[in-house]
Amino acid sequence: VGRPFDQLPGHWRNSWLNLYHFWKEDGFHNVHNIMVKKFQQFGPIYREKLGTYESVNIIDPEDAALLFKAEGVYPERFMVPPWTAYRDFRNKAYGVLLKSGESWRHDRLVINREALSLKMTDHFVPLLNEVGEDFVRRVHTQIQRSGQGKWTADLSNELFRFALESVCNVLYGTRLGLLQDVIDPESQQFIDAVTLMFNTTSPMLYLPPSLLRRINSKIWLDHVKAWDIIFKHADKCIQNIYRDLRLKRRSDQEYTGILSSLLLQNKLPLEDTKASVTEMMAGGVDTTSMTLQWAMYELARAPGLQEQLRSEILAARSSSQGDVLKMLKSVPLLKAAIKETLRLHPVAVTLQRYVAQDIILQNYCIPAKTLVQVGLYAMGRDPRFFTKPEQFNPHRWLQADSTYFRGLGFGFGPRQCLGRRIAELEMQLFLIHMLESFKIETRRGVDINTTFKLILVPDKPIHLTLGPL
Ligand code: HEM
Ligand code: 2DC
């Protein structure tokens, strides 16, 4: 049953030569396009070895389903080598992002209750809603300043500030004031450090961590510098909350954010709490901001759809009479628009799992411990799985035809994105407020492509125009 592993198609026999070819075609920034090409060349499954990075790649949602059903109770994804190398180098604890086995599961279950459970996530809505409202206020100010009745800009840094403000309000129950004109330079440094950390990760993906640390290359030194800033700033935020709690400056009555809850419960060692909270703070910046930027870009190019969403939101607003929680239950098209954005513009180029047992995919035997990757970007653009994939059409998620294992933007199962609920609420509330307040436009005829900087991002600045309705 099943053809042998050794007969899988693909370039896996000469890993260092493959890496050389990969480097020559600027693979470091084109992982997503190269994968699309390889699926065309080899079919729905191929094996690959680049440097030390060995994987089997699949694209079919049915195969993704088989993979996730075989992931076991301790699912593990590809361990990004420079990330673990940094922690080991500085002797810092792993958080849920990098842990494995029982230790991962224990921490993850404790944090899930605070970050993913429906009971707790209701607390996030007012915290994220006020940040969304402040962003709208900031846009109004910028429109006035422009003197042109509208504001045209590359919103990247504005959105980074919005995203960091949002995730920190949920983590720490505190506003950092990042939607004002002048902001704390340390917060801007944090934002820049997260970008630098991602950018310096991709060139080191295919090398062993031990080598990375020995070679003192500029890229490794920059990577260390970036993580150092991330940890220093997060530590400061965490210490503030810790001190307030000990001095009983924070009441244990009202909700004061994920970190307070974790500290009061005292179910994790402080170092582990700090590691996971730092990962969430860093993970909350580029992910939601870039997705929102793509969403606005797509909506700017589809004015009819934008109008439909606006009517859905207005109807939801009036029928819920100011109850935001209730309102979020009656905006299916908006939620579909976010899914659709992640189909064409996923943050993660692949999802990966080390298979726990031997499994059969596309009639090949895949032995236990093999790293299998789901080509998320390639899947989202393949006409076999999405009719007219080039069209931005949120309605496809609401129609009867199958969405089986197709909406995987946040991953799947117990190892899926820990920030998923935060991200979804943050993005829904942002788009609600923006669509209620402004018309979103962009220059026609400017096509924006995707580039890989560990996460997938636009290859050039996106200029959006926000104006009155
Ligand atoms: C993991 C996507 C926002 C924190 C992941 C994974 C994906 C993902 C695909 C891997 C899941 C898997 O392997 O099955 C996204 C997208 C986001 C987003 C598309 C927004 C649009 C966030 C935010 C946070 C966050 C806001 C922090 C609050 C994490 C963490 C993990 C993770 C800590 C690792 C979880 C673990 O290993 O147990 N994310 N993410 N993400 N994400 Fe997100
Ligand atoms: C990058 O080949 C490409 O959510 C690699 O918020 C495989 C791979 C493994 C793990 C993925 C990573 C890719 C992209 C970025 C992800 C990461 C897991 C979590 C991380 C998807 C696809 C991300 C952005 C987290 C980051 C948290 C961090 C800043 C502390």
Side-chain angles (χ1 to χ4, degrees), residues 68 71 75-77 95-99 104 108 112 115 167 171 258 276 279-289 291-292 338 342 345-348 350-353 376 408-420 422-424 426-427:
F68 287 117
E71 69 176 1
E76 271 179 44
R77 75 173 75 84
V96 280
L97 176 72
L98 301 177
K99 282 193 177 200
W104 165 77
R108 178 76 204 224
N112 275 353
V167 75
L171 288 173
I258 292 176
S276 284
E279 289 165 2
M280 292 177 81
M281 188 174 163
V285 183
D286 295 42
T287 48
T288 51
S289 56
T291 308
L292 285 172
I338 293 171
L342 286 172
H345 311 289
V347 170
T350 64
L351 303 173
Q352 333 77 39
R353 291 292 183 267
L376 203 57
L408 293 172
F410 291 98
F412 183 83
R415 192 114 210 191
Q416 69 178 276
C417 177
L418 176 62
R420 178 175 192 159
I422 299 171
E424 285 174 342
E426 176 186 323
M427 295 192 293

Short mmCIF file of all heavy atoms in Angstrom, two decimals, residues 68 71 75-77 95-99 104 108 112 115 167 171 258 276 279-289 291-292 338 342 345-348 350-353 376 408-420 422-424 426-427, ligand 1:
data_model
loop_
_atom_site.label_atom_id
_atom_site.label_comp_id
_atom_site.label_asym_id
_atom_site.label_seq_id
_atom_site.Cartn_x
_atom_site.Cartn_y
_atom_site.Cartn_z
N PHE A 68 -3.66 16.97 9.31
CA PHE A 68 -4.05 17.49 10.62
C PHE A 68 -4.76 16.44 11.47
O PHE A 68 -4.74 16.51 12.69
CB PHE A 68 -4.89 18.76 10.46
CG PHE A 68 -4.08 19.94 10.03
CD1 PHE A 68 -4.30 20.58 8.82
CD2 PHE A 68 -3.04 20.41 10.84
CE1 PHE A 68 -3.53 21.67 8.42
CE2 PHE A 68 -2.25 21.49 10.45
CZ PHE A 68 -2.50 22.12 9.24
N GLU A 71 -2.03 14.61 13.48
CA GLU A 71 -1.01 15.43 14.16
C GLU A 71 -0.81 15.07 15.64
O GLU A 71 0.16 15.50 16.24
CB GLU A 71 -1.28 16.92 13.98
CG GLU A 71 -2.49 17.44 14.71
CD GLU A 71 -2.66 18.95 14.59
OE1 GLU A 71 -1.84 19.61 13.92
OE2 GLU A 71 -3.61 19.46 15.18
N PRO A 75 1.17 18.59 18.60
CA PRO A 75 1.57 18.93 17.23
C PRO A 75 2.81 19.83 17.24
O PRO A 75 2.94 20.71 18.08
CB PRO A 75 0.37 19.72 16.69
CG PRO A 75 -0.74 19.49 17.65
CD PRO A 75 -0.12 19.16 18.96
N GLU A 76 3.70 19.56 16.31
CA GLU A 76 4.89 20.40 16.19
C GLU A 76 5.05 20.91 14.77
O GLU A 76 4.90 20.17 13.82
CB GLU A 76 6.14 19.59 16.56
CG GLU A 76 6.43 19.67 18.04
CD GLU A 76 7.64 18.85 18.43
OE1 GLU A 76 8.65 18.91 17.71
OE2 GLU A 76 7.53 18.13 19.44
N ARG A 77 5.36 22.21 14.67
CA ARG A 77 5.63 22.77 13.35
C ARG A 77 7.13 22.95 13.19
O ARG A 77 7.90 22.69 14.11
CB ARG A 77 4.89 24.09 13.18
CG ARG A 77 5.48 25.27 13.93
CD ARG A 77 4.77 26.56 13.56
NE ARG A 77 3.47 26.64 14.18
CZ ARG A 77 3.26 27.06 15.42
NH1 ARG A 77 4.27 27.46 16.15
NH2 ARG A 77 2.06 27.09 15.92
N GLY A 95 8.70 30.26 24.97
CA GLY A 95 7.26 30.36 25.23
C GLY A 95 6.53 29.34 24.38
O GLY A 95 7.17 28.45 23.80
N VAL A 96 5.21 29.47 24.29
CA VAL A 96 4.44 28.48 23.52
C VAL A 96 4.87 28.39 22.06
O VAL A 96 4.76 27.34 21.44
CB VAL A 96 2.91 28.77 23.54
CG1 VAL A 96 2.30 28.28 24.83
CG2 VAL A 96 2.62 30.22 23.28
N LEU A 97 5.37 29.48 21.52
CA LEU A 97 5.80 29.47 20.11
C LEU A 97 6.87 28.41 19.86
O LEU A 97 6.88 27.78 18.80
CB LEU A 97 6.34 30.86 19.74
CG LEU A 97 6.92 31.02 18.34
CD1 LEU A 97 5.83 30.99 17.28
CD2 LEU A 97 7.73 32.31 18.23
N LEU A 98 7.78 28.24 20.82
CA LEU A 98 8.95 27.39 20.58
C LEU A 98 8.98 26.12 21.41
O LEU A 98 9.82 25.25 21.18
CB LEU A 98 10.24 28.21 20.83
CG LEU A 98 10.39 29.46 19.96
CD1 LEU A 98 11.65 30.23 20.33
CD2 LEU A 98 10.41 29.11 18.47
N LYS A 99 8.09 26.01 22.38
CA LYS A 99 8.09 24.81 23.21
C LYS A 99 7.55 23.60 22.46
O LYS A 99 6.89 23.75 21.42
CB LYS A 99 7.24 25.03 24.46
CG LYS A 99 7.93 25.84 25.55
CD LYS A 99 7.16 25.74 26.84
CE LYS A 99 7.90 26.48 27.95
NZ LYS A 99 7.48 26.05 29.28
N TRP A 104 4.90 22.30 26.28
CA TRP A 104 4.12 23.17 25.41
C TRP A 104 2.63 23.05 25.76
O TRP A 104 1.94 24.05 25.94
CB TRP A 104 4.32 22.81 23.93
CG TRP A 104 3.27 23.45 23.07
CD1 TRP A 104 3.23 24.75 22.68
CD2 TRP A 104 2.09 22.82 22.56
NE1 TRP A 104 2.09 24.98 21.94
CE2 TRP A 104 1.36 23.81 21.86
CE3 TRP A 104 1.57 21.52 22.62
CZ2 TRP A 104 0.14 23.55 21.22
CZ3 TRP A 104 0.36 21.25 21.99
CH2 TRP A 104 -0.34 22.26 21.31
N ARG A 108 0.22 25.98 26.98
CA ARG A 108 -0.76 26.37 25.96
C ARG A 108 -2.19 26.28 26.53
O ARG A 108 -3.01 27.17 26.28
CB ARG A 108 -0.56 25.48 24.74
CG ARG A 108 -1.49 25.67 23.58
CD ARG A 108 -1.19 26.90 22.75
NE ARG A 108 -2.40 27.30 22.06
CZ ARG A 108 -2.49 27.67 20.79
NH1 ARG A 108 -1.39 27.79 20.06
NH2 ARG A 108 -3.64 27.99 20.26
N ASN A 112 -4.52 29.36 26.64
CA ASN A 112 -5.75 29.27 25.83
C ASN A 112 -6.96 29.83 26.58
O ASN A 112 -7.77 30.54 26.02
CB ASN A 112 -6.08 27.81 25.48
CG ASN A 112 -5.34 27.34 24.24
OD1 ASN A 112 -4.68 28.12 23.56
ND2 ASN A 112 -5.44 26.05 23.97
N ALA A 115 -6.70 33.55 26.33
CA ALA A 115 -6.56 34.23 25.03
C ALA A 115 -7.52 33.72 23.96
O ALA A 115 -7.76 34.41 22.98
CB ALA A 115 -5.12 34.11 24.53
N VAL A 167 -2.84 45.08 20.70
CA VAL A 167 -2.44 43.85 21.40
C VAL A 167 -1.99 44.18 22.82
O VAL A 167 -2.25 43.41 23.75
CB VAL A 167 -1.37 43.07 20.58
CG1 VAL A 167 0.00 43.70 20.66
CG2 VAL A 167 -1.31 41.61 21.05
N LEU A 171 -3.22 42.61 26.28
CA LEU A 171 -2.25 41.91 27.14
C LEU A 171 -2.12 42.58 28.50
O LEU A 171 -2.08 41.91 29.53
CB LEU A 171 -0.87 41.87 26.48
CG LEU A 171 -0.69 40.94 25.28
CD1 LEU A 171 0.68 41.16 24.64
CD2 LEU A 171 -0.83 39.48 25.69
N ILE A 258 -4.71 40.05 29.80
CA ILE A 258 -4.25 38.66 29.84
C ILE A 258 -3.11 38.46 30.85
O ILE A 258 -3.13 37.51 31.63
CB ILE A 258 -3.78 38.24 28.43
CG1 ILE A 258 -4.99 38.17 27.49
CG2 ILE A 258 -3.05 36.90 28.47
CD1 ILE A 258 -4.65 37.86 26.04
N SER A 276 6.03 33.74 26.84
CA SER A 276 4.84 33.65 25.98
C SER A 276 4.20 35.02 25.75
O SER A 276 3.72 35.31 24.65
CB SER A 276 3.81 32.68 26.58
OG SER A 276 4.22 31.35 26.36
N GLU A 279 6.20 36.79 23.19
CA GLU A 279 5.89 36.27 21.86
C GLU A 279 4.57 36.81 21.34
O GLU A 279 4.44 37.14 20.15
CB GLU A 279 5.85 34.73 21.91
CG GLU A 279 7.22 34.11 22.08
CD GLU A 279 7.21 32.64 22.49
OE1 GLU A 279 6.12 32.05 22.61
OE2 GLU A 279 8.30 32.08 22.69
N MET A 280 3.60 36.94 22.23
CA MET A 280 2.31 37.47 21.78
C MET A 280 2.42 38.95 21.42
O MET A 280 1.83 39.42 20.45
CB MET A 280 1.23 37.28 22.85
CG MET A 280 0.88 35.82 23.07
SD MET A 280 -0.30 35.58 24.38
CE MET A 280 -1.81 35.96 23.54
N MET A 281 3.19 39.68 22.21
CA MET A 281 3.35 41.12 21.93
C MET A 281 4.02 41.32 20.57
O MET A 281 3.58 42.13 19.74
CB MET A 281 4.16 41.76 23.05
CG MET A 281 4.24 43.26 22.98
SD MET A 281 5.06 43.88 24.47
CE MET A 281 5.47 45.54 23.93
N ALA A 282 5.08 40.52 20.31
CA ALA A 282 5.78 40.64 19.03
C ALA A 282 4.95 40.09 17.88
O ALA A 282 4.97 40.61 16.77
CB ALA A 282 7.13 39.91 19.10
N GLY A 283 4.19 39.02 18.18
CA GLY A 283 3.38 38.39 17.14
C GLY A 283 2.16 39.20 16.76
O GLY A 283 1.50 38.91 15.76
N GLY A 284 1.88 40.23 17.55
CA GLY A 284 0.67 41.01 17.31
C GLY A 284 0.88 42.26 16.48
O GLY A 284 -0.06 43.04 16.32
N VAL A 285 2.07 42.47 15.94
CA VAL A 285 2.34 43.74 15.25
C VAL A 285 2.18 43.62 13.72
O VAL A 285 1.28 44.22 13.13
CB VAL A 285 3.74 44.28 15.59
CG1 VAL A 285 3.97 45.63 14.90
CG2 VAL A 285 3.90 44.43 17.09
N ASP A 286 3.03 42.83 13.09
CA ASP A 286 3.06 42.80 11.62
C ASP A 286 1.93 41.97 11.02
O ASP A 286 1.55 42.17 9.86
CB ASP A 286 4.40 42.24 11.14
CG ASP A 286 5.56 43.14 11.51
OD1 ASP A 286 5.56 43.66 12.64
OD2 ASP A 286 6.45 43.34 10.67
N THR A 287 1.42 41.02 11.79
CA THR A 287 0.41 40.09 11.28
C THR A 287 -0.92 40.78 10.97
O THR A 287 -1.35 40.82 9.82
CB THR A 287 0.19 38.99 12.32
OG1 THR A 287 0.02 39.61 13.61
CG2 THR A 287 1.37 38.05 12.39
N THR A 288 -1.53 41.36 12.00
CA THR A 288 -2.84 41.99 11.77
C THR A 288 -2.70 43.25 10.92
O THR A 288 -3.57 43.52 10.08
CB THR A 288 -3.52 42.36 13.11
OG1 THR A 288 -2.61 43.09 13.90
CG2 THR A 288 -3.94 41.11 13.86
N SER A 289 -1.61 44.00 11.12
CA SER A 289 -1.48 45.26 10.37
C SER A 289 -1.37 44.99 8.87
O SER A 289 -2.01 45.66 8.06
CB SER A 289 -0.27 46.04 10.87
OG SER A 289 0.88 45.25 10.78
N THR A 291 -2.38 42.31 7.24
CA THR A 291 -3.64 41.76 6.76
C THR A 291 -4.67 42.87 6.56
O THR A 291 -5.40 42.88 5.55
CB THR A 291 -4.18 40.71 7.75
OG1 THR A 291 -3.14 39.76 8.01
CG2 THR A 291 -5.38 39.97 7.19
N LEU A 292 -4.71 43.83 7.48
CA LEU A 292 -5.64 44.95 7.32
C LEU A 292 -5.28 45.81 6.12
O LEU A 292 -6.15 46.31 5.40
CB LEU A 292 -5.67 45.81 8.60
CG LEU A 292 -6.43 45.19 9.77
CD1 LEU A 292 -6.23 45.99 11.05
CD2 LEU A 292 -7.93 45.07 9.43
N ILE A 338 -12.52 39.01 5.61
CA ILE A 338 -11.23 38.79 6.27
C ILE A 338 -10.65 37.43 5.86
O ILE A 338 -9.47 37.31 5.56
CB ILE A 338 -11.38 38.94 7.80
CG1 ILE A 338 -11.72 40.39 8.15
CG2 ILE A 338 -10.11 38.49 8.52
CD1 ILE A 338 -12.11 40.63 9.60
N LEU A 342 -7.15 36.64 3.73
CA LEU A 342 -6.11 35.69 4.10
C LEU A 342 -5.93 34.58 3.06
O LEU A 342 -4.89 33.95 3.00
CB LEU A 342 -6.40 35.09 5.48
CG LEU A 342 -6.17 36.04 6.66
CD1 LEU A 342 -6.67 35.42 7.96
CD2 LEU A 342 -4.69 36.40 6.80
N HIS A 345 -3.81 36.57 0.57
CA HIS A 345 -2.65 37.18 1.22
C HIS A 345 -2.40 36.56 2.58
O HIS A 345 -2.51 37.24 3.61
CB HIS A 345 -2.88 38.69 1.36
CG HIS A 345 -3.33 39.36 0.09
ND1 HIS A 345 -2.49 39.54 -0.98
CD2 HIS A 345 -4.54 39.84 -0.28
CE1 HIS A 345 -3.16 40.14 -1.97
NE2 HIS A 345 -4.41 40.33 -1.57
N PRO A 346 -2.07 35.28 2.62
CA PRO A 346 -1.83 34.66 3.93
C PRO A 346 -0.57 35.25 4.56
O PRO A 346 0.34 35.67 3.85
CB PRO A 346 -1.64 33.18 3.59
CG PRO A 346 -1.15 33.17 2.18
CD PRO A 346 -1.79 34.35 1.51
N VAL A 347 -0.55 35.30 5.86
CA VAL A 347 0.65 35.72 6.58
C VAL A 347 1.72 34.63 6.47
O VAL A 347 2.89 34.90 6.22
CB VAL A 347 0.31 35.99 8.07
CG1 VAL A 347 1.57 36.18 8.89
CG2 VAL A 347 -0.62 37.20 8.19
N ALA A 348 1.28 33.39 6.62
CA ALA A 348 2.20 32.24 6.60
C ALA A 348 2.16 31.58 5.23
O ALA A 348 1.10 31.17 4.77
CB ALA A 348 1.80 31.23 7.68
N THR A 350 3.31 28.72 4.41
CA THR A 350 2.93 27.32 4.60
C THR A 350 2.46 27.10 6.02
O THR A 350 2.75 27.90 6.92
CB THR A 350 4.13 26.35 4.40
OG1 THR A 350 5.11 26.63 5.42
CG2 THR A 350 4.76 26.48 3.04
N LEU A 351 1.75 25.97 6.23
CA LEU A 351 1.56 25.42 7.57
C LEU A 351 2.40 24.15 7.58
O LEU A 351 2.50 23.47 6.56
CB LEU A 351 0.10 25.07 7.81
CG LEU A 351 -0.91 26.22 7.65
CD1 LEU A 351 -2.33 25.66 7.76
CD2 LEU A 351 -0.68 27.29 8.69
N GLN A 352 3.00 23.82 8.71
CA GLN A 352 3.84 22.62 8.73
C GLN A 352 3.54 21.77 9.95
O GLN A 352 3.21 22.28 11.01
CB GLN A 352 5.35 22.96 8.76
CG GLN A 352 5.76 24.27 8.15
CD GLN A 352 5.46 25.42 9.07
OE1 GLN A 352 5.63 25.31 10.26
NE2 GLN A 352 4.99 26.54 8.54
N ARG A 353 3.72 20.47 9.79
CA ARG A 353 3.66 19.55 10.93
C ARG A 353 4.66 18.41 10.72
O ARG A 353 4.84 17.94 9.60
CB ARG A 353 2.27 18.90 11.06
CG ARG A 353 1.15 19.83 11.49
CD ARG A 353 1.30 20.32 12.92
NE ARG A 353 0.16 21.16 13.30
CZ ARG A 353 0.12 22.49 13.19
NH1 ARG A 353 1.18 23.15 12.74
NH2 ARG A 353 -0.96 23.15 13.55
N LEU A 376 0.04 26.96 1.73
CA LEU A 376 -1.15 27.79 1.96
C LEU A 376 -1.34 28.85 0.86
O LEU A 376 -2.44 29.04 0.34
CB LEU A 376 -1.02 28.46 3.33
CG LEU A 376 -2.29 28.92 4.02
CD1 LEU A 376 -3.25 27.78 4.21
CD2 LEU A 376 -1.95 29.54 5.37
N LEU A 408 -7.57 28.23 6.23
CA LEU A 408 -6.53 27.81 7.17
C LEU A 408 -5.56 28.94 7.53
O LEU A 408 -4.46 28.69 7.99
CB LEU A 408 -5.75 26.63 6.57
CG LEU A 408 -6.53 25.31 6.39
CD1 LEU A 408 -5.67 24.30 5.62
CD2 LEU A 408 -6.94 24.73 7.74
N GLY A 409 -5.99 30.17 7.35
CA GLY A 409 -5.10 31.32 7.57
C GLY A 409 -4.46 31.35 8.95
O GLY A 409 -3.34 31.84 9.12
N PHE A 410 -5.15 30.84 9.96
CA PHE A 410 -4.61 30.83 11.32
C PHE A 410 -4.10 29.44 11.72
O PHE A 410 -3.86 29.17 12.89
CB PHE A 410 -5.67 31.28 12.32
CG PHE A 410 -6.03 32.74 12.20
CD1 PHE A 410 -7.16 33.14 11.49
CD2 PHE A 410 -5.24 33.71 12.80
CE1 PHE A 410 -7.49 34.49 11.39
CE2 PHE A 410 -5.56 35.05 12.70
CZ PHE A 410 -6.69 35.45 11.99
N GLY A 411 -3.96 28.56 10.75
CA GLY A 411 -3.53 27.21 11.07
C GLY A 411 -4.70 26.37 11.51
O GLY A 411 -5.87 26.72 11.26
N PHE A 412 -4.40 25.27 12.19
CA PHE A 412 -5.48 24.34 12.53
C PHE A 412 -5.15 23.58 13.82
O PHE A 412 -3.99 23.32 14.11
CB PHE A 412 -5.68 23.33 11.39
CG PHE A 412 -6.81 22.38 11.63
CD1 PHE A 412 -8.12 22.76 11.33
CD2 PHE A 412 -6.59 21.13 12.20
CE1 PHE A 412 -9.18 21.90 11.59
CE2 PHE A 412 -7.65 20.26 12.45
CZ PHE A 412 -8.93 20.65 12.15
N GLY A 413 -6.20 23.22 14.56
CA GLY A 413 -6.05 22.31 15.69
C GLY A 413 -5.44 22.96 16.92
O GLY A 413 -5.38 24.18 17.04
N PRO A 414 -4.98 22.12 17.85
CA PRO A 414 -4.47 22.66 19.13
C PRO A 414 -3.24 23.55 18.98
O PRO A 414 -2.92 24.31 19.87
CB PRO A 414 -4.13 21.40 19.94
CG PRO A 414 -4.10 20.27 18.97
CD PRO A 414 -4.97 20.65 17.82
N ARG A 415 -2.55 23.47 17.84
CA ARG A 415 -1.36 24.32 17.67
C ARG A 415 -1.67 25.54 16.80
O ARG A 415 -0.77 26.26 16.36
CB ARG A 415 -0.21 23.51 17.09
CG ARG A 415 1.12 24.23 17.16
CD ARG A 415 2.13 23.61 18.07
NE ARG A 415 3.02 24.60 18.64
CZ ARG A 415 4.13 24.32 19.29
NH1 ARG A 415 4.50 23.09 19.49
NH2 ARG A 415 4.87 25.29 19.80
N GLN A 416 -2.94 25.76 16.51
CA GLN A 416 -3.27 26.93 15.68
C GLN A 416 -2.85 28.23 16.37
O GLN A 416 -2.42 28.23 17.52
CB GLN A 416 -4.76 26.96 15.39
CG GLN A 416 -5.62 27.27 16.59
CD GLN A 416 -7.10 27.32 16.25
OE1 GLN A 416 -7.60 28.34 15.80
NE2 GLN A 416 -7.79 26.22 16.46
N CYS A 417 -3.01 29.32 15.65
CA CYS A 417 -2.58 30.64 16.15
C CYS A 417 -3.19 30.94 17.52
O CYS A 417 -4.40 30.92 17.69
CB CYS A 417 -3.00 31.73 15.16
SG CYS A 417 -2.60 33.38 15.73
N LEU A 418 -2.33 31.26 18.46
CA LEU A 418 -2.79 31.60 19.81
C LEU A 418 -3.47 32.96 19.82
O LEU A 418 -4.34 33.23 20.65
CB LEU A 418 -1.59 31.59 20.77
CG LEU A 418 -1.82 32.02 22.21
CD1 LEU A 418 -2.81 31.08 22.90
CD2 LEU A 418 -0.50 32.03 22.97
N GLY A 419 -3.07 33.83 18.91
CA GLY A 419 -3.63 35.18 18.87
C GLY A 419 -4.86 35.29 17.98
O GLY A 419 -5.34 36.40 17.72
N ARG A 420 -5.38 34.16 17.53
CA ARG A 420 -6.47 34.18 16.56
C ARG A 420 -7.67 35.03 16.98
O ARG A 420 -8.14 35.85 16.20
CB ARG A 420 -6.94 32.74 16.30
CG ARG A 420 -8.08 32.68 15.35
CD ARG A 420 -8.46 31.26 15.01
NE ARG A 420 -9.37 31.26 13.88
CZ ARG A 420 -9.58 30.23 13.09
NH1 ARG A 420 -8.94 29.09 13.31
NH2 ARG A 420 -10.41 30.32 12.09
N ILE A 422 -7.87 37.39 19.26
CA ILE A 422 -7.46 38.80 19.35
C ILE A 422 -7.41 39.39 17.94
O ILE A 422 -7.97 40.45 17.66
CB ILE A 422 -6.07 38.94 20.01
CG1 ILE A 422 -6.09 38.40 21.44
CG2 ILE A 422 -5.60 40.40 19.98
CD1 ILE A 422 -4.72 38.29 22.09
N ALA A 423 -6.73 38.67 17.04
CA ALA A 423 -6.55 39.16 15.68
C ALA A 423 -7.89 39.35 14.98
O ALA A 423 -8.13 40.37 14.34
CB ALA A 423 -5.67 38.20 14.89
N GLU A 424 -8.77 38.35 15.10
CA GLU A 424 -10.05 38.44 14.41
C GLU A 424 -10.88 39.62 14.93
O GLU A 424 -11.40 40.42 14.13
CB GLU A 424 -10.83 37.13 14.59
CG GLU A 424 -10.28 36.01 13.72
CD GLU A 424 -10.94 34.65 13.98
OE1 GLU A 424 -11.58 34.48 15.04
OE2 GLU A 424 -10.81 33.77 13.13
N GLU A 426 -9.85 42.26 16.57
CA GLU A 426 -9.15 43.51 16.26
C GLU A 426 -9.42 43.93 14.81
O GLU A 426 -9.74 45.10 14.53
CB GLU A 426 -7.65 43.29 16.49
CG GLU A 426 -6.76 44.45 16.13
CD GLU A 426 -5.28 44.07 16.27
OE1 GLU A 426 -4.92 43.31 17.20
OE2 GLU A 426 -4.49 44.53 15.42
N MET A 427 -9.35 42.98 13.89
CA MET A 427 -9.53 43.30 12.47
C MET A 427 -10.99 43.60 12.16
O MET A 427 -11.31 44.53 11.40
CB MET A 427 -8.99 42.16 11.60
CG MET A 427 -7.49 41.98 11.75
SD MET A 427 -6.72 40.89 10.52
CE MET A 427 -7.42 39.31 10.92
C1 HEM B 1 0.93 30.85 15.35
C2 HEM B 1 -1.20 33.22 11.68
C3 HEM B 1 -1.90 37.06 14.55
C4 HEM B 1 0.55 34.85 18.09
C5 HEM B 1 0.39 31.16 14.12
C6 HEM B 1 0.32 30.26 12.99
C7 HEM B 1 -0.27 30.92 11.97
C8 HEM B 1 -0.59 32.25 12.44
C9 HEM B 1 -0.57 30.37 10.59
C10 HEM B 1 0.79 28.80 12.97
C11 HEM B 1 -0.42 27.93 13.30
C12 HEM B 1 -0.24 26.46 13.06
O1 HEM B 1 0.90 25.99 12.99
O2 HEM B 1 -1.27 25.76 12.93
C13 HEM B 1 -1.60 34.46 12.15
C14 HEM B 1 -2.36 35.43 11.38
C15 HEM B 1 -2.56 36.52 12.19
C16 HEM B 1 -1.91 36.22 13.45
C17 HEM B 1 -2.84 35.23 9.97
C18 HEM B 1 -3.29 37.81 11.94
C19 HEM B 1 -3.86 38.14 10.83
C20 HEM B 1 -1.34 36.78 15.76
C21 HEM B 1 -1.43 37.63 16.92
C22 HEM B 1 -0.72 37.01 17.91
C23 HEM B 1 -0.20 35.76 17.38
C24 HEM B 1 -2.20 38.94 17.00
C25 HEM B 1 -0.51 37.45 19.34
C26 HEM B 1 -1.44 37.87 20.12
C27 HEM B 1 0.87 33.58 17.65
C28 HEM B 1 1.58 32.60 18.46
C29 HEM B 1 1.68 31.43 17.68
C30 HEM B 1 1.04 31.74 16.40
C31 HEM B 1 2.11 32.80 19.88
C32 HEM B 1 2.34 30.11 18.09
C33 HEM B 1 1.34 29.23 18.86
C34 HEM B 1 1.89 27.87 19.28
O3 HEM B 1 2.89 27.43 18.74
O4 HEM B 1 1.28 27.22 20.16
N1 HEM B 1 -0.18 32.37 13.75
N2 HEM B 1 -1.34 34.98 13.38
N3 HEM B 1 -0.61 35.67 16.08
N4 HEM B 1 0.56 33.04 16.44
FE1 HEM B 1 -0.47 33.97 14.95
#
